């Protein structure tokens, strides 16, 4: 650092790869669903309906507990739930964002929503 500060050393910069430079980090404010589409591959119609049902359940649970919805589960977690449709607590713990504590606290209710969609 001192060598660069006093002009006796060279400065080296590490730039991101060319492909990453052109991407925008945030979704345009006019497109509310752009982040959801960017979060993962598109779901089929049945999985999308389950995802929306899981989001509604998450919101209801979060309001009852007076916490933000992401505390209950992230959108990524709900997407995986909609795609994989776990039927046991052990399978539920294999979903991103769900460990033993969340499985114990929210597992049965989440799997009930999944079962109702089947």
């Amino acid at each position: 650092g001192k060598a660069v500060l006093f002009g006796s050393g060279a400065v080296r910069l590490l730039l991101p790869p060319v492909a990453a430079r052109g991407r925008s980090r945030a979704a345009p404010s006019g497109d509310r669903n752009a982040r959801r589409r960017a979060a993962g591959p598109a779901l089929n119609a049945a999985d999308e309906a389950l995802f929306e049902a899981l989001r509604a359940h998450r919101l209801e649970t979060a309001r009852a507990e007076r916490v933000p919805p992401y505390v209950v589960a992230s959108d990524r977690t709900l997407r995986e739930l909609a795609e994989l449709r776990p039927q046991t607590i052990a399978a539920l713990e294999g979903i991103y964002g769900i460990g033993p504590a969340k499985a114990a606290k929210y597992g049965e209710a989440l799997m009930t929503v999944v079962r109702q969609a089947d």
Side-chain angles (χ1 to χ4, degrees):
K2 282 185 179 181
V4 172
L5 181 64
F6 294 110
S8 60
V11 177
R12 292 180 39 201
L13 296 175
L14 179 62
L15 298 175
V18 175
R21 282 190 229 159
R23 290 187 298 183
S24 171
R25 290 180 178 245
S29 60
D31 190 358
R32 295 179 58 201
N33 293 320
R35 283 189 299 174
R36 192 178 307 159
R37 285 192 306 269
L43 298 173
N44 65 37
D47 290 349
E48 185 68 34
L50 176 55
F51 173 68
E52 292 302 327
L54 287 164
R55 289 184 76 217
H57 170 75
R58 175 185 64 180
L59 183 60
E60 181 180 312
T61 302
R63 285 182 177 163
E65 294 184 2
R66 303 182 87 138
V67 296
Y70 66 83
V71 171
V72 176
S74 69
D75 275 359
R76 177 177 173 184
T77 299
L78 299 182
R79 281 184 173 281
E80 280 194 33
L81 280 167
E83 286 179 298
L84 301 178
R85 298 174 184 246
Q87 298 296 315
T88 65
I89 294 293
L92 186 68
E93 288 181 14
I95 301 291
Y96 171 85
I98 298 183
K102 281 197 179 180
K105 188 170 186 177
Y106 304 116
E108 286 301 324
L110 288 170
M111 287 190 308
T112 299
V113 174
V114 170
R115 286 181 194 122
Q116 288 173 349
D118 285 339

